Amino acid sequence: MIVMVGDYMKWIKRLLICFIGCLFFGLFGILSINFYVIGSTKNQILTFEEIKNIKDIETILVLGCQVRPNKTPSAMLEDRLKVGISLYEQNAAPTMIMSGDHRRDDYNEVKVMKDYAVKNNVPSSFVFLDHAGISTYDSIFRAKEVFQVKKIIIVSQKYHLYRALYIANQLGLEAYGVSADEVTYGGQFYREIREVLARNKDFVLSNLKIPSNISSNTISIHEDGDFTN
């Protein structure tokens, strides 16, 4: 009986060591990918002054974010829109793409985004809507495959731009990011933690070049943006 208990305890120890080892290497892998995504894209995040030196950018891609029940942009989304509009005003690119979630009739991120831009004097015909930008990966993939752009500015908060730019790089886009960090947002610590996992997820998707779940006909950004309303 003593021998049997001893053997049992040895197996428990071996399993515990194996579990801890797998946990350690898994965590190491997750963090390694996270820091690689950040390190490989940080130099693509530019200031307003730096972006002026980049020529022939086709469009400004503003990534969607939550809108309020009263159909106004959340604080994070409003800051993204302000930066995107400012870039348009300084002629960084001739068009804008608003990419966000419009899976339900009662929730339409991109309409709120376009309405905000038009109210701030961006011509409606120069603002294109991607109604199927459900995720960051979808937004970048569709910018290339649906809107057929090759050279873009991506606007979002800095923590989010690393992932967006990495996806763009892997999909063959020439992309630059401009940060929309106007203030410190509530709950940012939890967003940073989630973003570590999201970077790992999109690292895999973008390296495998998985198609977006929602397919569409191609849309030319040299035509009228109101066609996408």
Side-chain angles (χ1 to χ4, degrees):
M1 182 67 179
I2 294 174
V3 174
M4 291 179 64
V5 171
D7 289 343
Y8 177 75
M9 293 305 296
K10 285 180 181 179
W11 276 107
I12 292 294
K13 285 182 179 179
R14 289 172 184 170
L15 287 172
L16 186 60
I17 290 170
C18 183
F19 173 76
I20 292 172
C22 290
L23 189 65
F24 172 80
F25 284 110
L27 183 60
F28 177 79
I30 288 169
L31 292 177
S32 295
I33 289 173
N34 176 64
F35 290 122
Y36 176 73
V37 168
I38 293 172
S40 65
T41 57
K42 63 183 180 181
N43 291 334
Q44 291 170 251
I45 301 176
L46 307 181
T47 64
F48 274 84
E49 288 302 312
E50 290 170 330
I51 209 72
K52 289 179 181 178
N53 298 320
I54 310 296
K55 305 301 181 185
D56 302 320
I57 295 172
E58 296 170 87
T59 195
I60 300 158
L61 175 64
V62 182
L63 297 177
C65 190
Q66 184 180 19
V67 299
R68 300 185 179 102
N70 65 355
K71 296 182 172 52
T72 60
S74 60
M76 291 183 74
L77 182 55
E78 185 170 18
D79 286 342
R80 296 179 192 184
L81 291 166
K82 286 178 179 177
V83 169
I85 291 165
S86 294
L87 287 166
Y88 175 82
E89 290 174 341
Q90 74 170 34
N91 299 314
T95 63
M96 300 179 72
I97 298 175
M98 306 300 188
S99 183
D101 188 350
H102 183 199
R103 284 175 287 185
R104 307 193 317 260
D105 290 339
D106 62 343
Y107 186 79
N108 188 342
E109 286 180 1
V110 291
K111 183 179 187 305
V112 171
M113 294 164 74
K114 180 163 185 172
D115 287 348
Y116 187 95
V118 172
K119 286 177 182 176
N120 284 274
N121 302 315
V122 180
S124 179
S125 60
F126 295 158
V127 182
F128 292 78
L129 301 186
D130 178 8
H131 299 264
I134 310 303
S135 68
T136 305
Y137 185 83
D138 287 324
S139 293
I140 307 299
F141 186 93
R142 289 171 59 80
K144 181 182 184 233
E145 299 297 332
V146 175
F147 291 91
Q148 303 281 289
V149 296
K150 297 177 181 178
K151 191 171 183 179
I152 63 173
I153 301 170
I154 304 173
V155 178
S156 188
Q157 277 69 32
K158 190 173 185 179
Y159 83 97
H160 187 206
L161 281 175
Y162 300 119
R163 175 160 55 108
L165 289 166
Y166 183 82
I167 295 167
N169 292 346
Q170 296 310 111
L171 296 181
L173 287 167
E174 183 177 344
Y176 304 91
V178 176
S179 171
D181 293 282
E182 300 296 314
V183 297
T184 300
Y185 307 97
Q188 185 59 29
F189 174 77
Y190 298 102
R191 277 190 290 273
E192 295 279 1
I193 296 299
R194 289 198 304 270
E195 188 65 15
V196 172
L197 298 177
R199 287 175 191 143
N200 276 258
K201 171 182 69 72
D202 284 343
F203 175 87
V204 174
L205 291 178
S206 57
N207 277 280
L208 294 176
K209 297 177 173 55
I210 302 297
S212 172
N213 289 326
I214 303 173
S215 60
S216 302
N217 295 327
T218 58
I219 299 168
S220 172
I221 58 167
H222 303 293
E223 296 180 3
D224 189 337
D226 287 334
F227 172 77
T228 63
N229 287 355

